[in-house]
């Protein structure tokens, strides 16, 4: 078997990432050696592979669904937004510069098509099947000429295309029909059919519409996936999503101790790797929410300042909103504060930045004895260490180089009283360390909170991935899906006018 499939979507956030992961997990349980692939990803949630390459976290999660190590070939182009109009371009795991959206779509993107096709070919030579994820919608007609992640990659590699639609948003039939009808004939010939995502209710009520859609397009629906809570793992994009009032989904189990523990995460601009807090949300009795007002810190037992692609911008935002003053007051009162990566940097005394913001010398919050200098070379690493008597694993993605001039060592950063700072993402996924850290937080906060003794974040992640595999196995036509992956799009699919504009 040397199969492949492109999972496209009618919109962003239609469920492409989780459907791709679900198909990957279903295939690997059938004994298929499978790999994920996304030609181009725009995300501030990234990950570092064992060889020190930076890729999107969604592809790392999908690699875990495949039970393989992630590599740079699984996400050869990663765009990390630095604002509304520019992004850092990461090529095969290494940053190659900043570029405006106009400059990227004006020519650079199309020149990368050969690179992404080479990466896909490398994976297809090593695996039985490669399940590719698209981006946004394949019917973005203003971008089709330079597209390398949707129909561009499907045409270049001859991949069949499955279009996912989120029925929970409404308008899914129009979205399916319109997506196909806005594609060129050569692109339409690769669109095999549809997959309905997040359906609530009686499927029999949907079936007449699916029959009519088949009559209108000549394309079948490969499955109707029911709505399930708690499956939005490793989201790609924190820019589009308003985190106002968002609470991370956590397990339903009650707290082990008498009290819950409340965690407030400052929703800083250009927030990166906010998935760091998922391991906390997985703990029974820990409530995690994102906040953007100082009064929302009042009842928090732990405040986290997360990573950001704009440390100086985030610092200014904290000051403008009064959050900086509230955090400083907490630190003075010995109430727990944790800064991660960019959040760690802005807790320091001084920042010298001629790289990210080009702001030069900027005073930090002064809560940790740390000086930060931004280097042009990005640090990408997978460190292992010890803290609070426990083994810790993490990963580093940062331009800022921190020099601690005092305090107590903490991972690669430092600690003063109940204010902690580190560059290490993912450290809270180390179960023993997370429990030890939460015990310290609970003691400082005066809470009778007790970490569950047996919570395994890795096991919970595996359970989520198995739930995704179950969705595909139980609610998709897996025989038809297998034929599609193995043999490609059916021959003779009809053209749906008007097609792409000239």
């Amino acid at each position: 078997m040397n199969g492949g499939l492109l999972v496209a979507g009618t919109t962003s956030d239609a469920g492409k990432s989780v459907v791709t992961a679900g198909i990957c997990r279903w295939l690997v349980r059938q004994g298929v050696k499978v790999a994920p692939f996304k030609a181009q990803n725009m995300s501030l949630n990234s990950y570092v592979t064992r060889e020190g390459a930076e890729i999107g976290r969604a592809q790392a999660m999908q690699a875990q669904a495949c039970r393989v190590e992630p590599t740079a070939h699984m996400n050869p182009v990663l765009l990390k937004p630095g604002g509304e109009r520019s992004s850092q371009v990461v090529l095969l795991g290494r940053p190659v510069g900043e570029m405006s959206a106009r400059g990227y779509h004006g020519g650079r993107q199309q020149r990368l098509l050969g690179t992404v096709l080479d990466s896909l070919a490398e994976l297809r030579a090593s695996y039985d099947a490669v399940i590719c994820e698209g981006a946004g919608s394949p019917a973005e007609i203003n971008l089709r000429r330079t597209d390398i992640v949707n129909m561009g990659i499907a045409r270049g590699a001859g991949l069949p295309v499955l279009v996912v639609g989120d029925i929970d948003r409404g308008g899914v039939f129009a979205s399916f029909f319109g997506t196909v009808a806005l594609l060129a004939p050569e692109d339409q010939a690769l669109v095999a059919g549809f997959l309905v995502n997040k359906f609530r209710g009686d499927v029999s009520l949907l079936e007449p519409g699916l029959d009519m859609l088949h009559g209108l397009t000549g394309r079948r629906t490969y499955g109707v996936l029911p709505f399930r809570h708690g499956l939005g793992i490793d989201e790609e994009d924190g820019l589009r999503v308003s985190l106002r009032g968002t609470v991370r989904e956590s397990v339903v189990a009650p707290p082990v101790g008498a009290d819950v523990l409340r965690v407030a995460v400052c929703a800083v601009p250009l927030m990166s790797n906010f998935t760091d807090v998922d391991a906390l949300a997985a703990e029974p009795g820990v409530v995690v929410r994102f906040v953007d007002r100082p009064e929302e810190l009042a009842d928090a037992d732990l405040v986290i300042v997360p990573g950001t692609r704009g440390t100086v911008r985030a610092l200014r935002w904290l000051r403008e909103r009064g959050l900086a003053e509230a955090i400083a007051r907490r630190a003075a009162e010995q109430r727990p504060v944790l800064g991660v990566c960019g959040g760690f940097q802005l807790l320091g005394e001084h920042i010298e930045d001629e790289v990210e913001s080009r702001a030069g010398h900027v005073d930090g919050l002064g809560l940790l004895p740390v000086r930060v200098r931004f280097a042009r070379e990005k640090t990408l690493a997978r460190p292992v260490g010890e803290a609070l008597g426990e083994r810790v694993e993490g990963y580093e993605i940062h331009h800022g180089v921190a020099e601690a001039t005092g305090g107590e060592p903490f991972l690669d950063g430092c600690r003063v009283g109940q204010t902690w700072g580190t560059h290490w993402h993912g450290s809270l996924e180390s179960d023993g360390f997370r429990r030890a850290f939460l015990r310290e937080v609970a003691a400082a906060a005066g809470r009778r909170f007790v970490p569950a003794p047996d919570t395994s974040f890795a096991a919970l992640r595996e359970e989520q991935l198995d739930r995704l595999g179950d969705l595909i196995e139980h609610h998709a036509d897996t025989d038809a899906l297998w034929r599609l992956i193995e043999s490609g799009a059916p021959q003779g699919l009809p053209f749906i006018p008007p097609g792409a504009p000239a």
Side-chain angles (χ1 to χ4, degrees):
M1 181 179 184
N2 185 14
L5 175 70
L6 175 71
V7 179
T10 56
T11 62
S12 296
D13 301 317
K16 297 183 293 291
S17 294
V18 293
V19 167
T20 299
I23 293 174
C24 286
R25 178 50 61 101
W26 163 67
L27 283 172
V28 81
R29 294 196 307 210
Q30 310 307 308
V32 178
K33 188 180 179 185
V34 59
F37 177 80
K38 186 163 185 174
Q40 172 194 292
N41 200 344
M42 176 172 279
S43 179
L44 287 170
N45 280 338
S46 58
Y47 184 76
V48 179
T49 68
R50 291 205 180 277
E51 67 267 27
E54 185 179 9
I55 65 171
R57 267 200 72 99
Q59 280 60 65
M61 176 267 291
Q62 291 161 357
Q64 186 176 347
C66 297
R67 298 181 178 140
V68 298
E69 275 293 323
T71 71
H73 287 303
M74 294 174 183
N75 178 209
V77 180
L78 173 64
L79 305 178
K80 302 195 71 176
E84 296 298 325
R85 296 186 179 182
S86 67
S87 294
Q88 183 181 65
V89 180
V90 179
L91 181 62
L92 291 174
R94 299 290 173 182
V96 294
E98 296 278 337
M99 187 166 288
S100 69
R102 180 178 292 275
Y104 185 68
H105 290 288
R108 176 65 183 269
Q109 183 182 32
Q110 198 170 28
R111 292 196 295 272
L112 294 175
L113 181 59
T115 299
V116 300
L117 286 172
D118 287 346
S119 286
L120 178 56
E122 181 86 13
L123 292 175
R124 297 188 80 176
S126 303
Y127 292 88
D128 300 329
V130 178
I131 307 302
C132 308
E133 179 188 343
S137 163
E140 291 168 350
I141 54 180
N142 56 315
L143 302 176
R144 176 61 186 92
R145 183 178 60 84
T146 57
D147 169 51
I148 64 170
V149 65
N150 289 307
M151 301 314 300
I153 197 75
R155 287 266 293 276
L159 295 171
V161 178
L162 184 68
V163 180
V164 177
D166 180 354
I167 197 169
D168 200 47
R169 295 183 174 193
V172 74
F173 292 116
S175 298
F176 281 145
F177 183 88
T179 296
V180 179
L182 281 176
L183 299 178
E186 297 83 357
D187 290 344
Q188 287 194 22
L190 295 173
V191 178
F194 313 107
L195 187 75
V196 177
N197 192 28
K198 296 185 181 178
F199 179 72
R200 306 172 191 250
D202 186 346
V203 176
S204 66
L205 299 176
L206 188 67
E207 287 170 350
L210 300 179
D211 292 340
M212 286 185 273
L213 182 66
H214 183 269
L216 288 166
T217 67
R219 289 159 174 84
R220 59 171 299 163
T221 298
Y222 283 76
V224 178
L225 307 185
F227 188 96
R228 292 287 187 268
H229 286 284
L231 293 181
I233 49 180
D234 289 10
E235 292 94 335
E236 291 188 350
D237 200 339
L239 277 183
R240 279 196 309 271
V241 181
S242 171
L243 294 170
R244 182 84 195 86
T246 297
V247 178
R248 300 300 283 176
E249 292 195 34
S250 56
V251 291
V252 180
V256 175
D259 292 339
V260 299
L261 207 63
R262 296 172 176 84
V263 179
V265 184
C266 297
V268 297
L270 300 177
M271 182 165 45
S272 63
N273 288 71
F274 57 84
T275 48
D276 281 340
V277 302
D278 284 351
L280 293 179
E283 282 285 348
V286 176
V287 179
V288 180
R289 58 197 172 108
F290 290 88
V291 303
D292 59 7
R293 297 185 304 201
E295 56 268 28
E296 293 175 300
L297 304 187
D299 67 344
D301 303 306
L302 169 66
V303 169
I304 295 179
V305 188
T308 171
R309 248 285 270 154
T311 299
V312 171
R313 178 176 169 181
L315 182 60
R316 184 169 60 247
W317 181 87
L318 290 171
R319 285 178 167 140
E320 289 171 349
R321 288 179 172 260
L323 284 159
E325 184 180 349
I327 292 169
R329 190 163 53 248
R330 286 185 64 91
E333 295 169 354
Q334 294 300 304
R335 301 176 67 195
V337 175
L338 171 65
V340 181
C341 200
F344 162 44
Q345 294 166 7
L346 59 80
L347 294 180
E349 297 171 340
H350 304 291
I351 299 170
E352 193 67 37
D353 182 11
E354 300 292 349
V355 176
E356 191 176 77
S357 68
R358 297 181 176 85
H361 176 84
V362 178
D363 288 332
L365 296 186
L367 306 184
L368 290 173
V370 171
R371 295 172 178 267
V372 176
R373 176 185 55 82
F374 274 72
R376 298 200 177 276
E377 185 75 17
K378 181 185 280 192
T379 297
L380 297 169
R382 289 274 294 270
V384 177
E386 186 177 301
L388 303 179
E390 299 285 348
R391 186 176 187 274
V392 187
E393 295 184 29
Y395 56 100
E396 295 184 66
I397 306 168
H398 54 92
H399 283 280
V401 179
E403 177 190 0
T405 58
E408 189 181 329
F410 173 63
L411 301 178
D412 71 327
C414 71
R415 168 190 182 182
V416 173
Q418 291 300 320
T419 301
W420 317 62
T422 177
H423 274 129
W424 290 22
H425 294 291
S427 62
L428 293 168
E429 295 180 19
S430 298
D431 297 326
F433 166 71
R434 182 180 65 254
R435 287 192 277 268
F437 178 69
L438 289 176
R439 282 192 291 269
E440 290 244 359
V441 169
R447 297 288 185 190
R448 294 173 298 167
F449 169 84
V450 179
D454 55 356
T455 301
S456 166
F457 184 72
L460 290 171
R461 171 54 55 86
E462 277 295 300
E463 288 175 16
Q464 280 190 306
L465 293 172
D466 276 331
R467 289 173 66 198
L468 292 177
D470 291 344
L471 277 180
I472 298 300
E473 186 171 338
H474 298 153
H475 300 283
D477 185 339
T478 52
D479 288 341
L481 196 57
W482 184 281
R483 290 193 297 272
L484 188 62
I485 294 168
E486 191 173 36
S487 304
Q491 297 296 309
L493 292 169
F495 171 73
I496 308 301

